[in-house]
Amino acid sequence: MEKAMIRMRMSSHDAHYGGNLVDGAKMLQLFGDVATELLIRRDGDEGLFAGYESVEFLAPVYAGDYIEAVGEIIKEGNSSRKMTFEARKVIVPRTDISESSADFLEEPVVVCRAVGTCVTPKKSQRK
């Protein structure tokens, strides 16, 4: 099945709560971008996100963290595409050392998992 990945750094603009905590909705935004890529690869169209079956927030995300979001199509219908998603923290800032220090995590920290379904209308499928 198709897989896709996006990696980005959470900025201070993403921090929504005290202590530079990033809103969990940001992970869902990343999953939406991954889903769009998967649908373009599979159907030649961006399709539409129909809904989430499950969402689990497993660890906090802070401004300065690098998040890798991955997704995979696990089941296909005529127009529906069921997908699984996982967001992992792969780099963390180390402001306790200096303002520009950071660590690459040997073992990424899973911060969010989700299962969702997207739809690409038959008339929009080009592949």
Side-chain angles (χ1 to χ4, degrees), residues 58-115:
L58 304 166
V61 175
Y62 300 98
D65 289 344
Y66 280 75
I67 300 297
E68 179 179 276
V70 295
E72 178 178 11
I73 295 173
I74 59 167
K75 186 177 178 185
E76 295 185 15
N78 287 329
S79 60
S80 65
R81 312 288 181 243
K82 186 174 184 178
M83 302 175 187
T84 59
F85 303 96
E86 187 172 272
R88 306 174 191 123
K89 189 183 308 192
V90 295
I91 295 174
V92 295
R94 289 296 309 273
T95 54
D96 58 315
I97 297 172
S98 77
E99 289 185 22
S100 58
S101 291
D103 284 340
F104 179 81
L105 301 176
E106 293 298 323
E107 284 294 320
V109 175
V110 177
V111 299
C112 187
R113 284 193 183 111
V115 177

